[in-house]
Amino acid sequence: MKGLFPVLYRDYVMRTTSPLWLFFDLVVPVMYLLMFGVGFNSALGLGIELEGRSLSYNEFFLAGVISMACFGLAMNQSYGFFVDRDSGIFYETLTYPITRGEFLLGKIIFQCILAVIQTALSLAAAAWILGVNIPSSSLVYLGVGILIVTSGWFFTFASLAFLMRRTDTFNTVINVAYFVLMFVSSMFYPIDRLPSAFRVLSYANPVTWHTDVFRWALTGVGSTESALVQAAAFFIFSLIAFRVALWALSRAVE
Amino acid sequence: MKRTTEQPAIEVTDLRKVYHKRGSMPVEALKGISFTVRRGEIFGLLGPNGAGKTTAIKILTTLLRPTSGSARILDRDVVQHPLEARRAMCAVMQDNAVEMFLSVQNNFRVYGRFHGMSGADISRQSSRVTEIFGLQDVLNMKGSELSGGQKRRVQVAKTFLVDKPVVFLDEATTGMDSFNKRETLEAIKHEASRGRTIVLTTHILEEAEELCDSLAIVNHGRIIASGSTQEVKSSSLRLITVTLTFNRVTSGVLRKLERLKPHKIAHTEDTIDVQVRSESVAMDVLNSVRSMRGFRHFEVAAASLEDVFMDIVDRQERAGDT
Ligand SMILES: Nc1ncnc2c1ncn2[C@@H]1O[C@H](COP(=O)(O)OP(=O)(O)O)[C@@H](O)[C@H]1O
Ligand SMILES: [Mg+2]
C-alpha cells in the first residue's frame, strides 16, 4: 500500500499549485449554498412544505449541496483523467512501480478527503452563516454517506473518461450529464409536485437517492424505510460502477 | 567495447499482439518477435512507422498484454509479475507525457516520489538532470507552457532522475532541435556507460547507428535483421560506396564502371557514387579509374544503416514476404 502515497502527493501538489483546481474542488458547492441560500430563502419566505413538515430553503438545500460536493468532485476528477490521457501522463503513470489498485484507491481516497473537507465547509457555513440547525446524530450518516457517494460517482465518471477518445464528445457528455443529473433530481427542489414524467425520471436518478438520504439524516424528512431502500440502491449502483470502471481501465490502454 | 555481463536484461520470446477493434479487421501488430538485450547495452528497435515498435514497448512496460509469447525484464515476467517488472524500469512513452498543470520542478518531484525516492535525493538528482538537459530556464514553467521539444527533454530528464536499471525510450528525440538532440544523445550514452540498460525505438537510422550497441530491425511486425550494429550492417549483402571525383565525368568513365556490374551507380557533373557488394569489387573500381585522365580523388564508405535497411526491406518485399 506504499504506492498510495505518491498518488495522494501528486494530487495534493496539483491542488496547492493550481488555484483553479482548488476553486472547483472546494469552493463551488459552498458558493451555491450561500448564493441560493440567501436568494431563495428570502424569495420563498415561509419555506418548503415537505411530507407535512415546513423547512426553510436553507435547511432543505443543505442536503443537495452535500450531494453536489461529492458528485462535482467525481466529475472534476474524471475531467482530470481525460486531460491526463490526452497528455499521455495517464499511460506513463501506469508504468510506475505501483499497482493499478493503488492507483485507483489513491485517487478515491484523495477525492474522499476533499469531499469531507467540502462537507465540513458547507456544514459550517450553513450552521454559522445561515443559521441552519444540524443535528449531531446526522454526522455519522453523512460521514459514511459521502464516502460511498463520492466513490460511486468517481467510478461512473472515471469510466467515461477511460472509454471516450474524443475531447468534444467527452466535454458534451460531461456537461449534459452534469446539468441533467443535478437538475432532474431532488437536489434543488422537492420533486413530489413536479409533472409526472419529470418526477419518474428524478426518482430513477441516483442523485435523488443519496440526496434524499442526506436530507433524511439532516432534517428527519421521509421515512427510515425509504431512506434505507435508497441507500441500498445507491450502494448497488456503486458496486456496478466499480466493475465497469475496472473494465474501462483495462480497455483504456488498448 | 562496453562491459556487459552474461545474464540478459531483457528476454523477449515469440511475442505476438493482435489488436481487436470493433467494426474493423483485427490488426496483427507483432507477428512473433524474439530478441535479447544484454545488461548495460543500448539496444535499438528500428523500423518505419507502423512497424510495431511502440506495441513492443507497451508490452515490455506492462501497458499492454501480449496475445501470446513472453517477455522478461531482469528475469521478471511482465505478464505474471507486472509490478516486479515495473520496479526495474522507467519509460518515456511516445506521447509528450508531462504533467500539464505542474511546473517542471514539480514534475520531477512527483516522478521521483512515484519511484520511491526521498525528498533529498529528488533535489540532488533534479539539479543534476536540470544541468545535463539545460532546463534551468523552464524549471518554473508549467507543463502546458512548454514546446514539444521541451516536453520531450523533460521526459527524458525524468528517466535519468531515477536510478532504474532498465530504461525504455520510445522515439525520445522526436521534436527536439538538433542542438538538444545532440545533448540528449550524449546523456543517453553517458547513462549507459554507468551500467544502465537502454532500449530505444527510432525511425531515424543515423541516431541508432550512433548510439546502439545492438539492434533489431522491425518491419510489418517481424524482425527482419538483428545483432550488433556492426553485424547488422555487414549481414546484409556488404554494401560499400565508393565516391570518385573527376574534373568532369565523361560517358567513357561511366561505361567502364558499368562493366564492373556495380549494385548501383549515380553521378553528378564531377562525382560518381558507385555502390558495390564486396571489397574486391571496390578495389576493381579504384584500379580501373586511378590512371585515368581527370581523376582527382576517391572516398570509400561503409553503407549506412539507412542503406542496409532499404536493402533488406527491398529484398523482402520482392520475395513477397510481408
Ligand atoms: N490501439 C490500436 N488499435 C488498433 N491498431 C493499432 C493500435 N495501436 C497500434 N495499432 C496498429 O498496429 C501497428 C503497429 O503500430 P505501432 O506499434 O504503433 O508501430 P510503430 O511504433 O512502429 O510506428 C500499426 O499498423 C498500427 O496501426
Ligand atoms: Mg511508435
Side-chain angles (χ1 to χ4, degrees):
Chain A
M1 286 292 110
K2 252 173 62 184
L4 287 177
F5 292 105
V7 182
L8 297 176
Y9 175 73
R10 184 262 185 181
D11 279 4
Y12 167 78
V13 175
M14 190 132 125
R15 297 315 185 285
T16 48
T17 55
S18 296
L20 202 64
W21 279 96
L22 207 61
F23 173 76
F24 278 110
D25 277 344
L26 286 186
V27 183
V28 169
V30 182
M31 273 178 38
Y32 262 97
L33 178 70
L34 293 176
M35 285 166 24
F36 273 58
V38 173
F40 279 100
N41 210 48
S42 20
L44 294 177
L46 279 176
I48 292 179
E49 285 294 323
L50 200 60
E51 313 218 352
R53 296 262 320 269
S54 172
L55 299 175
S56 74
Y57 188 76
N58 286 333
E59 284 174 306
F60 173 83
F61 187 43
L62 183 57
V65 165
I66 294 169
S67 280
M68 186 196 292
C70 306
F71 176 84
L73 279 169
M75 199 156 251
N76 294 349
Q77 174 59 67
S78 98
Y79 177 73
F81 276 139
F82 195 82
V83 172
D84 290 347
R85 255 185 65 197
D86 209 39
S87 74
I89 198 77
F90 177 77
Y91 302 104
E92 190 182 281
T93 308
L94 297 179
T95 71
Y96 296 163
I98 58 169
T99 64
R100 305 284 189 263
E102 285 169 335
F103 174 68
L104 277 184
L105 197 58
K107 292 285 181 188
I108 293 173
I109 290 174
F110 192 83
Q111 295 306 306
C112 286
I113 293 171
L114 288 180
V116 169
I117 296 174
Q118 264 201 33
T119 302
L121 284 177
S122 301
L123 291 178
W128 292 326
I129 301 175
L130 303 176
V132 176
N133 172 45
I134 294 159
S136 55
S137 62
S138 68
L139 295 181
V140 177
Y141 296 117
L142 289 182
V144 176
I146 56 180
L147 301 187
I148 295 170
V149 172
T150 306
S151 308
W153 288 116
F154 171 91
F155 296 132
T156 308
F157 291 124
S159 303
L160 292 181
F162 293 157
L163 291 175
M164 291 186 171
R165 304 273 148 170
R166 293 173 48 121
T167 315
D168 46 356
T169 324
F170 177 76
N171 281 336
T172 309
V173 169
I174 281 290
N175 281 317
V176 170
Y178 188 72
F179 196 75
V180 171
L181 287 171
M182 290 211 316
F183 284 96
V184 186
S185 79
S186 59
M187 191 181 278
F188 293 96
Y189 27 71
I191 50 181
D192 52 359
R193 268 158 288 165
L194 293 175
S196 66
F198 213 76
R199 198 166 64 223
V200 170
L201 284 178
S202 298
Y203 275 121
N205 180 355
V207 172
T208 298
W209 309 342
H210 55 73
T211 305
D212 286 355
V213 175
F214 289 152
R215 194 160 286 140
W216 165 81
L218 281 165
T219 66
V221 161
S223 70
T224 310
E225 292 79 52
S226 78
L228 266 176
V229 170
Q230 286 178 305
F234 191 84
F235 191 70
I236 292 166
F237 169 78
S238 300
L239 289 182
I240 296 170
F242 172 67
R243 296 293 313 168
V244 175
L246 281 186
W247 170 77
L249 179 61
S250 71
R251 278 284 310 261
V253 180
E254 288 272 315
Chain B
M1 276 301 283
K2 226 165 280 159
R3 222 159 33 89
T4 46
T5 45
E6 291 317 307
Q7 201 211 0
I10 298 168
E11 271 180 288
V12 172
T13 315
D14 204 20
L15 214 53
R16 282 180 64 243
K17 176 69 193 180
V18 182
Y19 288 109
H20 294 278
K21 262 222 174 106
R22 252 174 305 158
S24 53
M25 295 279 287
V27 178
E28 195 173 5
L30 293 177
K31 298 171 181 162
I33 62 166
S34 303
F35 59 84
T36 304
V37 181
R38 282 171 301 176
R39 293 195 187 195
E41 134 176 288
I42 305 185
F43 181 86
L45 211 49
L46 315 192
N49 287 329
K53 306 178 297 292
T54 296
T55 302
I57 298 285
K58 281 185 176 168
I59 293 172
L60 286 168
T61 53
T62 77
L63 277 174
L64 273 185
R65 291 168 73 94
T67 306
S68 67
S70 73
R72 304 175 80 78
I73 313 281
L74 294 176
D75 222 23
R76 304 150 198 214
D77 190 287
V78 295
V79 176
Q80 252 114 57
H81 304 289
L83 180 63
E84 293 306 311
R86 288 202 292 274
R87 288 208 171 110
M89 68 169 83
C90 54
V92 168
M93 305 311 287
Q94 201 170 19
D95 316 272
N96 290 326
V98 296
E99 292 276 7
M100 293 297 176
F101 296 99
L102 297 184
S103 67
V104 171
Q105 180 78 66
N106 279 329
N107 263 275
F108 289 155
R109 288 203 182 106
V110 167
Y111 192 83
R113 289 287 179 192
F114 269 113
H115 285 86
M117 289 169 79
S118 71
D121 274 353
I122 294 173
S123 312
R124 188 154 8 93
Q125 294 299 324
S126 9
S127 345
R128 188 178 73 93
V129 296
T130 301
E131 180 89 18
I132 297 177
F133 289 92
L135 293 168
Q136 294 88 342
D137 296 342
V138 297
L139 220 45
N140 292 315
M141 274 161 75
K142 285 200 196 297
S144 55
E145 297 164 350
L146 303 177
S147 73
Q150 286 170 327
K151 282 182 196 152
R152 216 68 197 143
R153 261 193 294 160
V154 169
Q155 261 188 297
V156 180
K158 284 194 301 191
T159 62
F160 293 157
L161 184 84
V162 299
D163 207 11
K164 292 300 167 85
V166 179
V167 183
F168 292 98
L169 303 171
D170 195 2
E171 310 268 0
T173 56
T174 309
M176 289 186 190
D177 59 38
S178 52
F179 179 71
N180 289 329
K181 191 184 262 186
R182 179 105 312 278
E183 294 196 324
T184 305
L185 297 186
E186 290 308 322
I188 292 173
K189 278 191 214 167
H190 178 71
E191 288 299 316
S193 73
R194 295 174 37 184
R196 298 174 83 178
T197 307
I198 296 175
V199 176
L200 56 91
T201 75
T202 179
H203 61 272
I204 304 168
L205 291 132
E206 296 95 79
E207 231 174 80
E209 196 169 354
E210 176 181 344
L211 282 177
C212 298
D213 300 305
S214 51
L215 49 88
I217 299 181
V218 190
N219 197 31
H220 299 299
R222 284 207 178 86
I223 292 184
I224 58 174
S226 66
S228 76
T229 305
Q230 272 313 313
E231 270 165 21
V232 172
K233 281 175 70 175
S234 51
S235 74
S236 105
L237 308 172
R238 273 179 166 299
L239 279 175
I240 300 170
T241 306
V242 184
T243 305
L244 307 165
T245 308
F246 293 84
N247 289 334
R248 207 170 64 79
V249 172
T250 62
S251 55
V253 184
L254 289 172
R255 236 177 295 125
K256 197 163 178 184
L257 289 171
E258 293 283 7
R259 251 178 269 141
L260 298 170
K261 303 215 167 6
H263 177 56
K264 251 187 208 161
I265 186 160
H267 69 95
T268 64
E269 220 151 84
D270 57 355
T271 64
I272 309 178
D273 275 343
V274 193
Q275 225 175 45
V276 299
R277 293 214 181 265
S278 76
E279 278 168 25
S280 69
V281 182
M283 296 295 275
D284 292 346
V285 168
L286 292 175
N287 280 327
S288 68
V289 298
R290 74 175 173 185
S291 55
M292 288 182 98
R293 243 184 316 120
F295 173 62
R296 286 168 50 198
H297 58 86
F298 70 91
E299 250 177 60
V300 180
S304 69
L305 212 40
E306 181 102 41
D307 298 328
V308 174
F309 180 71
M310 295 313 290
D311 188 44
I312 297 171
V313 172
D314 262 10
R315 276 186 295 142
Q316 292 216 337
E317 290 190 344
R318 239 176 291 133
D321 180 26
T322 52

